[in-house]
Amino acid sequence: MLWTTAGVVVLAFLVTLEIAARHYGLPGPITNQAQEVVFAPKSGPLLYASMALMMVVLTWRQRFIAFGVAVGIDVVFFLVRWAIGADMMFGNGALWVILGYAVIAVTRRTGRERVLLLKGVGLGLLLVTGRKTGDTWLLITSKTRPAVLDQYVATADHALGSPSWLMGRLVKATGPIGTHLLDYVYIQLAVAAVVVALYQLRNVAVERRFPGHHLVRTFLVIGLLGPAVYMVFPVVGPVFAYGTGAFGTGGGHWAIADLWPETPPPIHTPHPMTYDEITPRNCMPSLHTAWATTIFIHSRKGPRVLRFAGTFWLIATLCATLGFGYHYGVDLVAGVVFAVTVEAALRSLDRGWDRTGMKLVAYGAAVFVMLLVSYRYLPMEMAGYPWVFGPLLILAGGSVVYGYLRTTELWEPKVIPAQRAEPQPELV
């Protein structure tokens, strides 16, 4: 019943976004996903990562067959596109395999096996659909929010020392190698999430059931809730609001001035500013930071190589979001608080709500709202007293993280060491 209800809600949400996108003369998430059955996908690695998620319910023999079929279909598509000079991209085969297993589940499986296979298919499709939904959300933010609040956020960011300007110069100094590495990390964040999720779901095929909580749940909920905050607090980012930037992108004549990343913006009374109808208002909070934070959290219980990868992806994502001028420093603080609060809520939902869980989620939500209110109504005070508000921002975000660590430690099952038997004297 829960999965059926979730499916109906997701379908209704997708239809709503499709209608909203059509209102602006552009295809919505359903149309974009349907086109990738035949046309070149936007992201081949994401489709194969989604197929990998679906295959957690299959046996190893079925996985090898499914992968071989996907590669074979992609080879055919590649040859046809090469012959007619069409756009080249792989991934259609993976989508075909996912849809094929949906048909198999309905026509060839019954009972619990059908439900399990449909859950696997749904998990794979949700990851792909989440990407398409995000694209549509970004379109809606650019069309419905003509005024942006970048001046407020940039002014408040002085409390942290305007880290985007500093990191932008550092990334520029690394040359093409550092730029390409960070760009790859930034773009393939969903693939990194799938790697961690595959480790968490590695026993599904044997146990024939999914664990109560895993990374994909948090990843999708963050992507669902985050754009709603974009609508409340529209921000385009320093590279767009303050110049052409170091990487050939920027706001052009829409920018306030050509300042990023060489010259931090001067402190003056901020005002809303009108911006174009193309650039997404997707800065507050930084969802890339939120997603990377959840990858880090969920990788902590994995082997050493997975923990190292989770740490690397978090650090590299923070550097990329700042260094490419996509986010201000205060966006990242809000993103961490947002991620930890969502993770706490989902873990509480899985284990059953209690007093500690409700207090943690309420506190995280209160801190998040407090951050947004401060950025909007106290930016001049934050910029004027950076040695006061800077530490306060870090302490506020750190308190949520500390509360999460303390609370979840109490939730962990206690391992009682086995008592050693006392030597008994022999009876005569």
Side-chain angles (χ1 to χ4, degrees):
M1 182 63 68
L2 178 62
W3 280 80
T4 301
T5 304
V8 172
V9 172
V10 170
L11 180 60
F13 179 68
L14 291 176
V15 171
T16 302
L17 284 183
E18 183 75 26
I19 295 173
R22 292 288 181 177
H23 176 72
Y24 294 106
L26 295 172
I30 299 176
T31 302
N32 285 330
Q33 191 58 67
Q35 289 176 344
E36 292 190 350
V37 175
V38 177
F39 297 101
K42 185 175 182 179
S43 175
L46 181 64
L47 286 173
Y48 270 89
S50 301
M51 184 182 72
L53 275 182
M54 183 273 298
M55 291 195 298
V56 298
V57 303
L58 306 180
T59 64
W60 278 107
R61 180 176 178 275
Q62 292 170 334
R63 292 170 186 173
F64 285 122
I65 294 174
F67 181 76
V69 171
V71 172
I73 294 173
D74 269 325
V75 169
V76 174
F77 271 96
F78 180 87
L79 294 175
V80 172
R81 288 180 180 134
W82 177 74
I84 64 177
D87 294 335
M88 304 301 292
M89 177 53 74
F90 64 93
N92 301 88
L95 182 57
W96 278 45
V97 168
I98 295 174
L99 297 176
Y101 267 102
V103 175
I104 291 174
V106 174
T107 60
R108 304 292 296 274
R109 298 287 189 272
T110 58
R112 294 182 61 185
E113 290 300 313
R114 171 186 289 176
V115 173
L116 184 67
L117 186 52
L118 285 176
K119 286 181 179 180
V121 170
L123 195 64
L125 288 178
L126 276 176
L127 186 64
V128 181
T129 306
R131 174 70 175 270
K132 303 302 179 186
T133 301
D135 293 342
T136 304
W137 260 120
L138 298 184
L139 166 69
I140 294 174
T141 63
S142 64
K143 298 294 185 181
T144 61
R145 293 296 181 269
V148 297
L149 304 177
D150 281 78
Q151 293 187 32
Y152 294 86
V153 180
T155 303
D157 207 41
H158 280 278
L160 297 177
S162 300
S164 179
W165 272 258
L166 174 61
M167 188 58 65
R169 294 193 296 271
L170 290 176
V171 172
K172 182 180 179 181
T174 63
I177 296 178
T179 301
H180 291 319
L181 174 62
L182 292 179
D183 184 60
Y184 181 82
V185 169
Y186 190 84
I187 293 174
Q188 301 300 339
L189 186 64
V191 178
V194 169
V195 172
V196 177
L198 289 177
Y199 175 79
Q200 293 180 320
L201 304 175
R202 65 193 183 280
N203 296 324
V204 170
V206 176
E207 298 176 355
R208 312 309 294 167
R209 64 180 180 85
F210 280 86
H213 179 58
H214 50 83
L215 172 60
V216 180
R217 295 179 65 194
T218 309
F219 212 81
L220 292 174
V221 172
I222 286 175
L224 178 65
L225 298 179
V229 186
Y230 294 163
M231 303 290 287
V232 177
F233 208 113
V235 181
V236 293
V239 71
F240 298 106
Y242 288 94
T244 57
F247 305 101
T249 60
H253 69 277
W254 293 97
I256 302 173
D258 189 6
L259 300 177
W260 191 89
E262 303 299 336
T263 307
I267 300 176
H268 58 78
T269 303
H271 301 282
M273 53 181 282
T274 304
Y275 212 79
D276 64 25
E277 297 183 358
I278 300 174
T279 306
R281 280 66 163 151
N282 62 337
C283 277
M284 183 61 69
S286 169
L287 292 195
H288 266 76
T289 298
W291 284 321
T293 300
T294 59
I295 291 174
F296 175 81
I297 292 173
H298 283 265
S299 65
R300 293 308 87 195
K301 293 186 178 180
R304 179 178 299 179
V305 64
L306 198 64
R307 297 197 302 270
F308 174 80
T311 303
F312 166 77
W313 224 270
L314 174 60
I315 295 174
T317 299
L318 296 180
C319 292
T321 55
L322 292 173
F324 291 148
Y326 298 149
H327 289 281
Y328 305 89
V330 292
D331 302 346
L332 275 58
V333 176
V336 171
V337 173
F338 183 72
V340 173
T341 304
V342 172
E343 174 69 16
L346 291 177
R347 288 198 62 175
S348 296
L349 179 64
D350 177 53
R351 68 183 300 273
W353 287 97
D354 58 12
R355 185 179 180 85
T356 58
M358 289 188 288
K359 287 175 60 178
L360 176 60
V361 174
Y363 179 70
V367 171
F368 181 71
V369 172
M370 180 199 69
L371 292 175
L372 297 186
V373 172
S374 300
Y375 302 160
R376 178 63 176 83
Y377 296 105
L378 298 175
M380 291 297 292
E381 289 78 3
M382 296 175 69
Y385 302 97
W387 293 107
V388 175
F389 284 93
L392 283 177
L393 285 176
I394 302 302
L395 286 174
S399 67
V400 177
V401 175
Y402 177 75
Y404 174 83
L405 294 175
R406 286 291 303 273
T407 303
T408 53
E409 183 180 359
L410 298 175
W411 292 348
E412 295 297 331
K414 303 300 182 181
V415 179
I416 302 176
Q419 296 183 353
R420 300 177 62 179
E422 296 292 335
Q424 299 293 330
E426 294 184 3
L427 297 178
V428 179

